[in-house]
Amino acid sequence: MSNILWKSLVVSPAILGATLLVSGTAIAAPITTSEVSVNEQQSATEVAQQPEIFAQAINDTNVINQVNGYSNEGRENTTLPQVTSVSQFSDVQPTDWAFQALQSLVERYGCIAGYPDATYRGNRALTRFEFAAGLNACLDRVNELIATATADMVSRQDLVTLQRLQEEFSAELATLRGRVDSLEARTAELEANQFSTTTKLAGEAIFAVTDAFGDTAGDRNNTVFQNRVRLGLQSSFTGRDLLTTRLVSGNANPLDLGTVTPFGIGAPSGEGLQTFNIDNTGGNNVEIDRLTYQAPIGPAQVYLAANGGRHSHYAAVNNPHFADGTDGGNGALTPFASENPIYRIGGGAGVAFTLPLGQGRGIFRPSSVTVGYLGSEANDPTPGQGIFQGNYAALGQLNFNVSDRLALAATYVHGYHGAGSTIFDSGNNNSAIVGTSIANLGGIDRGNGTPNPFATNSYGVSAAFRPGNRLSVSGFVSYTDVNGFGASDASEVWSYGVGLALPDFGRRGNVLGIFGGAVPYARGIQDGFNKVPYQVEGFYKYRVSDNVSVTPGVIWVTNPGQSSDNDDAFIGTLRTTFTF
C-alpha cells in the first residue's frame, strides 16, 4: 500500500495540474469546436500569423460556406444535374401553391436543381444570401438565353421582375461576387502550391503518461511517458476511391501486470493493453503499418489490403465514441473497449466486399452483407505460408439498421493459426492485442503443454443504440470454438462487454465513456485458471480545440490471467492527442 500511495502522490499532481490548466483555458476562452478540413486548419494558421488581414477573409468564407450549404446540403461530393421537368421532384405536387412558378423556372428557364434523393425541399427556410445565390443562377441563365438568340423565351414581364429583384439584392449579389472572386484567387494559389492534386496528409500524435497500481502490478511498473505518431497519405484518383499509405513510429511498451500462466508458457497477454501500444515500433523507428485501397465497383464497396489490413477497416464495429478508426487516439483507452474482439482475429493482406441487400421498408433501413479474407503471412513464399497456407481469417457479416437509432451486426470468422500463434492478434501472429494469454494461445495440449496448430470458428453480435443525441449505448458478445490438431487441445473462448457514452458532456466535442465486460477468456483449460477476467474502463475526452484533446482515464483489471491468485491491477493514464 505504501508503494500505491507514493505513486498516487507522484502522478496525481501532474493529472490535477493538467486538468486545472485545461479547465482554466476553457473558462478564459471558450471555443466552439467542430471537425475541420486540412484547408480550414491552414486558414487557422494564417489567422494566427496575420489576424488583421485574415479576419475578414474568415468571415467571408463563413458566409460563402452558408451559401454553398444551400446547394450542397444532402449531397455527396457531386452536384445533381439540372432537372428538365418539375415532375422529377418527388415532394412537389400540382396542388402546391407555388407549383406553377416552380414549373416555369424549371421547364422554361432551367435554373433550378434538386437534391440527389429527387426532392426539392421547398418548405425549408433560407437566408437572403441563399436567395441571392439562387437569383444569381437564374440571372446567369437568362443572360445565356439572350446571348444564344433565344430571347423570345424571356418575357418582358419576367425581365422587369428580374430587374427589380436585381436592384433589391444588388448589395448581396455584389458581396457574393466579390467574395467568390477572392476565394477563387486564393483557391488558385493553393492549387498552384499544393503538395499533390490527389493526396492529402493526415496525422496523429499521442503523448501519454501512464502507470499501473496494485499489489503486484505496482511493484513491476514505473510511471512512464510514451508516444506514438501516425502519418497517413490519403490519395483519391476518382473522388470516390481511397488509397491509404500510413507510417507509424513510437516508443510505447505495454505495462506488466505480473500474471501467472499455466504450463509455464510465457504466452503474451492483451490485458490492460492500450490503443497507443498497438502498431508501436519501439525506439521511435518508422515503419509502414497500413497500405490499403478502397473503391466502389458497381454496387459493391471493395477493400484491398497489401499490408496492415484489419477487419475493422471494412466491417462496421457498431461502437460509436469508443471506436476511433483503427486504435486511434480519440476513442477508448483500450482495444477491448474500442471494438468486439472478433475483429481482432487475423489481419494482414487480403480483400473484402460490402454489398447492399436492398433499401428496406418501414422502420428497417438498408441492409448489407460484408465478406473479407485476410492472411497474416501472405508475403512469405515458403511452404506452409503464403496467402492460403499461412495464418488467415475469413469474415462474413450481416449489417442492418432499425430506424436511425439502432444498428446491429451478426459476425462469423473462420481462422487458421499455426502452432504458438495467438488468436486475437490482428495478424501479428505472436502479439496478443486483447484477452488473456490462455485464451490467445489456442491448441495447447493439456497433457504436456505443447502448442499445436489449430482452427477457430467465431460468432459475434454487436449493437449500438442511440436513445438521444446526448446518450449512446453499445455492446457485444463473442464466442470462439477452438479446435486443435492434436490431443486434448480444444477449448472455448468467450467475451462480452457493454458501454455507455455521453457525447458533448460539458462541452461540444467532449465524451464521457464507461465500458465494462469480460475480456476474451478460455474455459476448462486447467484447474485454478477458470476465473472470469473482468475489465472496467472510464475516461473523459476533453476537446481543447479542433486538433487537440486530453483524455484522463482509469482501467480496472480483475482476475488477470483468469486466476484469483493474480492481484487486481489499476492503470491510470493521461493521454493527449494531436490531429492534423
Side-chain angles (χ1 to χ4, degrees):
M1 291 300 295
S2 59
N3 186 42
I4 297 177
L5 177 61
W6 169 246
K7 290 194 173 185
S8 300
L9 293 174
V10 171
V11 176
S12 295
I15 297 178
L16 178 60
T19 304
L20 291 176
L21 177 61
V22 170
S23 301
T25 305
I27 295 174
I31 303 173
T32 301
T33 61
S34 61
E35 294 293 340
V36 295
S37 65
V38 174
N39 290 336
E40 290 171 329
Q41 294 173 19
Q42 293 172 344
S43 298
T45 304
E46 294 172 352
V47 172
Q49 295 171 346
Q50 302 183 42
E52 297 84 359
I53 297 176
F54 288 97
Q56 182 60 39
I58 291 295
N59 183 61
D60 292 350
T61 302
N62 292 336
V63 174
I64 295 300
N65 288 338
Q66 182 183 13
V67 175
N68 288 338
Y70 173 66
S71 59
N72 293 330
E73 181 180 350
R75 305 185 184 196
E76 298 178 357
N77 300 328
T78 60
T79 58
L80 187 71
Q82 167 64 45
V83 296
T84 58
S85 173
V86 71
S87 62
Q88 293 179 244
F89 296 128
S90 61
D91 59 346
V92 176
Q93 305 299 327
T95 55
D96 294 335
W97 66 272
F99 180 82
Q100 294 297 332
L102 186 60
Q103 185 180 43
S104 177
L105 288 172
V106 172
E107 300 177 3
R108 185 174 184 181
Y109 296 111
C111 60
I112 295 294
Y115 291 89
D117 59 355
T119 61
Y120 179 65
R121 306 181 192 177
N123 291 324
R124 70 180 294 275
L126 75 161
T127 66
R128 285 178 64 89
F129 278 111
E130 291 172 336
F131 180 78
L135 174 61
N136 187 59
C138 281
L139 287 173
D140 291 341
R141 177 59 178 161
V142 169
N143 290 331
E144 181 183 344
L145 292 174
I146 294 174
T148 56
T150 55
D152 56 330
M153 295 181 60
V154 184
S155 67
R156 181 177 181 82
Q157 183 180 359
D158 289 342
L159 288 174
V160 172
T161 302
L162 287 173
Q163 184 177 5
R164 290 175 54 192
L165 288 172
Q166 189 172 13
E167 292 173 355
E168 171 69 19
F169 290 90
S170 59
E172 285 83 1
L173 290 172
T175 300
L176 285 173
R177 286 166 180 163
R179 291 172 180 174
V180 169
D181 290 342
S182 176
L183 288 176
E184 287 179 347
R186 294 178 62 190
T187 301
E189 182 180 356
L190 289 173
E191 289 178 348
N193 296 279
Q194 63 184 327
F195 164 72
S196 170
T197 59
T198 59
T199 304
K200 293 182 179 180
L201 173 66
E204 178 190 78
I206 297 176
F207 296 172
V209 177
T210 186
D211 199 355
F213 308 92
D215 292 342
T216 300
D219 294 334
R220 289 176 172 266
N221 298 278
N222 291 312
T223 304
V224 290
F225 186 19
Q226 301 175 323
N227 74 80
R228 187 190 69 186
V229 178
R230 286 174 167 176
L231 297 177
L233 298 175
Q234 300 178 345
S235 305
S236 181
F237 309 103
T238 66
R240 302 177 62 195
D241 61 340
L242 181 64
L243 172 66
T244 301
T245 306
R246 191 174 68 191
L247 304 176
V248 65
S249 178
N251 64 359
N253 295 311
L255 300 174
D256 182 6
L257 302 186
T259 58
V260 178
T261 59
F263 309 114
I265 299 175
S269 168
E271 297 169 283
L273 196 72
Q274 299 186 62
T275 56
F276 59 82
N277 293 128
I278 300 174
D279 296 326
N280 205 294
T281 61
N284 286 318
N285 297 318
V286 179
E287 297 178 359
I288 296 179
D289 77 319
R290 178 177 178 180
L291 182 59
T292 61
Y293 181 70
Q294 296 166 270
I297 298 181
Q301 183 70 24
V302 179
Y303 168 86
L304 183 64
N307 182 61
R310 304 280 183 86
H311 297 304
S312 55
H313 288 167
Y314 63 85
V317 300
N318 291 336
N319 203 13
H321 307 294
F322 292 98
D324 178 30
T326 307
D327 302 311
N330 281 296
L333 294 175
T334 65
F336 170 69
S338 64
E339 62 189 51
N340 191 329
I342 198 171
Y343 300 111
R344 306 285 183 178
I345 301 176
V351 64
F353 302 87
T354 297
L355 299 167
L357 295 181
Q359 296 302 313
R361 293 293 184 268
I363 63 173
F364 291 96
R365 298 300 175 91
S367 302
S368 63
V369 61
T370 300
V371 293
Y373 180 96
L374 296 175
S376 59
E377 299 167 321
N379 65 314
D380 192 340
T382 58
Q385 311 298 323
I387 298 177
F388 302 110
Q389 293 187 359
N391 290 6
Y392 69 84
L395 177 145
Q397 178 168 299
L398 177 64
N399 314 283
F400 61 96
N401 297 330
V402 180
S403 72
D404 60 348
R405 295 188 178 275
L406 177 63
L408 301 171
T411 311
Y412 168 74
V413 176
H414 172 73
Y416 169 79
H417 316 265
S421 298
T422 46
I423 298 177
F424 305 99
D425 57 11
S426 291
N428 292 324
N429 296 342
N430 57 358
S431 178
I433 289 178
V434 64
T436 67
S437 58
I438 306 173
N440 273 280
L441 193 60
I444 300 177
D445 188 325
R446 289 189 287 274
N448 53 27
T450 302
N452 300 309
F454 60 97
T456 58
N457 292 286
S458 303
Y459 311 85
V461 176
S462 60
F465 177 54
R466 182 171 60 89
N469 295 332
R470 298 296 181 89
L471 178 63
S472 176
V473 182
S474 54
F476 62 79
V477 177
S478 69
Y479 164 75
T480 299
D481 182 25
V482 181
N483 296 295
F485 297 156
S488 303
D489 55 4
S491 62
E492 297 179 347
V493 178
W494 286 87
S495 181
Y496 47 86
V498 62
L500 176 69
L502 301 176
D504 297 332
F505 186 82
R507 178 181 176 178
R508 183 180 178 186
N510 295 357
V511 176
L512 175 64
I514 301 175
F515 197 97
V519 302
Y521 66 98
R523 300 175 57 181
I525 295 295
Q526 188 177 9
D527 293 341
F529 293 89
N530 292 315
K531 290 291 184 178
V532 178
Y534 293 105
Q535 178 175 302
V536 179
E537 170 185 337
F539 67 91
Y540 181 63
K541 186 186 76 170
Y542 182 86
R543 193 89 173 267
V544 180
S545 68
D546 292 326
N547 304 95
V548 182
S549 67
V550 177
T551 306
V554 177
I555 306 162
W556 176 26
V557 181
T558 71
N559 300 320
Q562 305 183 202
S563 174
S564 57
D565 293 336
N566 294 324
D567 298 320
D568 290 1
F570 298 87
I571 301 173
T573 295
L574 180 62
R575 181 185 68 191
T576 301
T577 305
F578 306 88
T579 56
F580 53 92

